[in-house]
Amino acid sequence: MQSNNLPKPIFIANPPALDRLADELARETIIAVDMEANGLYAYREQVCLIQFSTLEKDFLVDPISLGDISPLAPIFNNPDIEKVFHAAEFDLILLQRDFGVSLTNLFDTMVAARILGWKRVGLGNIIEKQFGIKVNKKYQRANWGKRPLSDEMLTYAQMDTHYLIELRQRIKNSLHEKDRWELAREDFRRGCQVNAAEHQSDPADPWRVKGAYDLDPQQAAVLQKLCQFRDQKARELDRPVFKVISNRALISITRQQPRNHNELKSIRGVSDRQDRWIGDKLLAAVRRGTKADPIYPPRKPRFSREDRDQTDRLLRWRKKKGRRMGVKSDVILPKDLLYELVKQNPTTKDELAQTLETVPWRLQHFGDEIFNLLMTSNYR
């Protein structure tokens, strides 16, 4: 990694230092923020490092050592301090879930880059293109929950925020030049409205496994028992469920329903080590599943033919509009708004304005086209 002579970051791992940092950040009008988590190494991932940068300094906050980061909550909530993230959504979900912290005044450089129509929007790609600094991705999948963190890992983490404020200014200038600043602002506001509860799911739920909906009800019962065992084992070991056994292997076991270790080991995705380690438990889960009551997939909302047709029209329209503007189609009309339009089916412009009240730029620039499209489909 070319660090370009970065200043040494200030490591924050005790409450007095955290209080001093909070006081210092409270005097800023713009800060850059990023986080590192350990989702590849723990059953329930957690925030392991929080990076902050100002125009002059870089800070690395260790929430594992601190436990409580509540002094930072007013910083995240302060509407007078702009927080610059790159791909903020997941970080904001973890902030809310783990610390009960919400955020106001966001600038998301990845969201903005997509609005500008940039093709490669990963932070490493952007830093290399904008600043000529090549980021080594070696630590992208590192275990950030281990202590101590190496100097190389700390430098990698520092890089994620060190250039963000300057990058934000370059991107903001481009947004103004393309007359897309207000579009970006409405997506930044939407980006703050995360609900961590909506992103929680049960790792033992068999319907989360790709291929589950293709099983018959009795096979689904087998998969359910296998998922329950895997989840229990992952909890015991504090590791992600996929590090116990993969989804693909579970589907294969479900379909083939092995009766002994030889049959189990012949299944692709089940190693000899896994057979020795958990083979007995897997075979027992299969037996329980074959004797259990069949299970059926959860019912999905039923859509009328008119709803499907209207959805298809809006999808085709936003794709065509995206090509003209040089952006991905969801920049034109995010999927949640598209589905809300279909659900509400506004028949007047006042109703359309109410449905799109959170996205005034889109309403102003696309409202007439969307309304005419909806009216055309309503009269068919």
Side-chain angles (χ1 to χ4, degrees):
M1 176 190 302
Q2 300 174 12
S3 62
N4 201 29
N5 298 317
L6 295 180
K8 186 174 178 62
I10 301 169
F11 197 74
I12 309 294
N14 61 69
L18 183 65
D19 289 337
R20 290 192 296 272
L21 172 63
D23 289 340
E24 184 166 347
L25 294 179
R27 295 190 291 271
E28 299 290 333
T29 58
I30 181 170
I31 59 175
V33 191
D34 189 46
M35 297 172 204
E36 306 296 343
N38 62 343
L40 296 176
Y41 298 91
Y43 176 77
R44 185 180 188 271
E45 65 195 342
Q46 66 180 123
V47 178
C48 300
L49 196 70
I50 307 176
Q51 304 99 286
F52 293 95
S53 288
T54 66
L55 286 170
E56 297 178 350
K57 300 178 184 176
D58 302 317
F59 303 90
L60 304 177
V61 177
D62 182 4
I64 292 179
S65 297
L66 288 161
D68 176 24
I69 65 160
S70 57
L72 296 175
I75 305 299
F76 287 114
N77 285 320
N78 190 334
D80 296 323
I81 303 175
E82 184 178 70
K83 275 72 66 173
V84 185
F85 282 76
H86 186 84
E89 182 181 22
F90 185 63
D91 290 343
L92 300 191
I93 289 169
L94 290 183
L95 264 182
Q96 186 181 107
R97 188 199 71 184
D98 291 357
F99 306 112
V101 171
S102 57
L103 183 134
T104 59
N105 198 354
L106 168 70
F107 189 111
D108 190 322
T109 51
M110 189 184 81
V111 169
R114 296 184 79 246
I115 289 171
L116 289 171
W118 292 6
K119 304 303 181 186
R120 304 180 72 185
V121 296
L123 184 57
N125 297 131
I126 292 177
I127 288 177
E128 183 174 0
K129 184 172 183 179
Q130 293 291 321
F131 303 102
I133 304 296
K134 189 172 181 61
V135 178
N136 186 339
K137 297 181 180 180
K138 175 181 178 181
Y139 298 104
Q140 198 169 37
R141 301 168 69 86
N143 186 354
W144 293 93
K146 289 184 67 175
R147 293 296 183 272
L149 298 171
S150 68
D151 289 342
E152 291 82 6
M153 291 175 72
L154 296 178
T155 300
Y156 172 91
Q158 179 185 11
M159 289 277 286
D160 280 347
T161 56
H162 182 80
Y163 296 97
L164 277 187
I165 294 178
E166 185 177 347
L167 175 62
R168 169 259 187 202
Q169 192 54 51
R170 295 185 185 189
I171 288 179
K172 185 175 180 179
N173 290 340
S174 296
L175 288 167
H176 279 293
E177 289 170 5
K178 286 199 166 189
D179 194 25
R180 296 183 186 178
W181 169 238
E182 291 302 323
L183 172 58
R185 287 187 67 198
E186 70 185 29
D187 278 357
F188 298 159
R189 289 192 295 268
R190 280 166 49 82
C192 292
Q193 306 305 311
V194 299
N195 185 342
E198 293 179 353
H199 295 269
Q200 292 180 359
S201 58
D202 180 5
D205 180 3
W207 304 111
R208 297 176 69 245
V209 178
K210 184 178 180 181
Y213 284 89
D214 298 326
L215 302 174
D216 65 43
Q218 194 62 56
Q219 289 175 326
V222 172
L223 179 62
Q224 182 182 57
K225 299 304 180 185
L226 288 166
C227 286
Q228 288 171 348
F229 158 69
R230 180 176 69 167
D231 181 68
Q232 180 184 5
K233 193 68 177 177
R235 285 176 183 267
E236 291 174 2
L237 299 172
D238 188 24
R239 66 173 61 174
V241 293
F242 73 87
K243 287 199 173 181
V244 176
I245 191 166
S246 70
N247 285 346
R248 182 176 294 181
L250 286 192
I251 289 291
S252 296
I253 293 171
T254 297
R255 289 188 177 281
Q256 298 182 40
Q257 296 183 15
R259 293 164 296 178
N260 54 57
H261 287 276
N262 285 334
E263 291 180 0
L264 179 63
K265 287 189 293 184
S266 71
I267 293 174
R268 186 175 182 180
V270 180
S271 66
D272 289 343
R273 185 191 68 82
Q274 284 174 314
D275 175 59
R276 292 191 299 270
W277 176 41
I278 56 174
D280 288 339
K281 299 292 186 181
L282 291 171
L283 292 170
V286 171
R287 290 193 295 270
R288 289 196 303 274
T290 58
K291 296 174 183 177
D293 292 336
I295 66 170
Y296 298 85
R299 290 188 176 183
K300 296 183 178 181
R302 296 179 67 88
F303 294 99
S304 67
R305 179 177 178 180
E306 291 78 11
D307 286 347
R308 290 195 298 271
D309 289 346
Q310 201 167 71
T311 300
D312 289 342
R313 291 187 189 97
L314 287 169
L315 287 170
R316 289 195 298 270
W317 169 81
R318 74 171 190 169
K319 187 174 182 178
K320 185 182 297 185
K321 199 75 177 177
R323 283 199 297 265
R324 289 176 184 170
M325 288 183 61
V327 299
K328 298 290 186 181
S329 62
D330 63 305
V331 172
I332 302 299
L333 188 64
K335 254 189 180 176
D336 64 307
L337 291 176
L338 188 153
Y339 290 140
E340 189 64 19
L341 284 167
V342 173
K343 177 183 175 182
Q344 297 298 332
N345 192 24
T347 57
T348 68
K349 289 197 173 182
D350 285 343
E351 290 176 354
L352 178 69
Q354 187 173 0
T355 304
L356 298 180
E357 63 180 345
T358 62
V359 287
W361 190 94
R362 289 179 173 89
L363 177 63
Q364 178 185 349
H365 288 77
F366 306 143
D368 288 342
E369 291 181 60
I370 292 173
F371 184 74
N372 291 335
L373 188 68
L374 294 174
M375 289 300 94
T376 300
S377 60
N378 280 333
Y379 284 110
R380 287 200 169 198

